[in-house]
Amino acid sequence: MTLISCPACVHRVSAEAASCPSCGHPVAASVSGRGEGVMRVLGGVAGTYISATTLASLVLGVVMFVCVAAVLITLILSGR
Ligand SMILES: [Zn+2]
């Protein structure tokens, strides 16, 4: 694995990392056409730099909420 320096704080960061573990600044060199790149683009669309893990947990939370809501609606509808 390659170490590069963070553009914001010059901390040594793995080139595999989506963002700097020290300051959270996105590491541009990590965008290499993988799934993380898509997550980073989504974060950029949102207007703020969201780390891939934060965005993933956010998406997971929304998906979980929708699933629970769907189950509840199904139970309510089938109950009457
Ligand atoms: Zn940094």
Side-chain angles (χ1 to χ4, degrees):
M1 98 182 178
T2 316
L3 283 177
I4 58 173
S5 55
C6 171
C9 70
V10 205
H11 189 89
R12 301 298 282 173
V13 187
S14 166
E16 309 274 314
S19 60
C20 172
S22 178
C23 70
H25 189 92
V27 180
S30 70
V31 181
S32 54
R34 290 180 302 168
E36 287 177 20
V38 177
M39 300 296 274
R40 290 272 310 284
V41 169
L42 288 173
V45 168
T48 48
Y49 282 122
I50 307 172
S51 71
T53 47
T54 306
L55 193 62
S57 57
L58 192 71
V59 169
L60 190 67
V62 170
V63 169
M64 292 281 283
F65 177 79
V66 168
C67 286
V68 169
V71 168
L72 284 176
I73 290 169
T74 306
L75 284 175
I76 291 166
L77 289 180
S78 63
R80 55 174 167 143

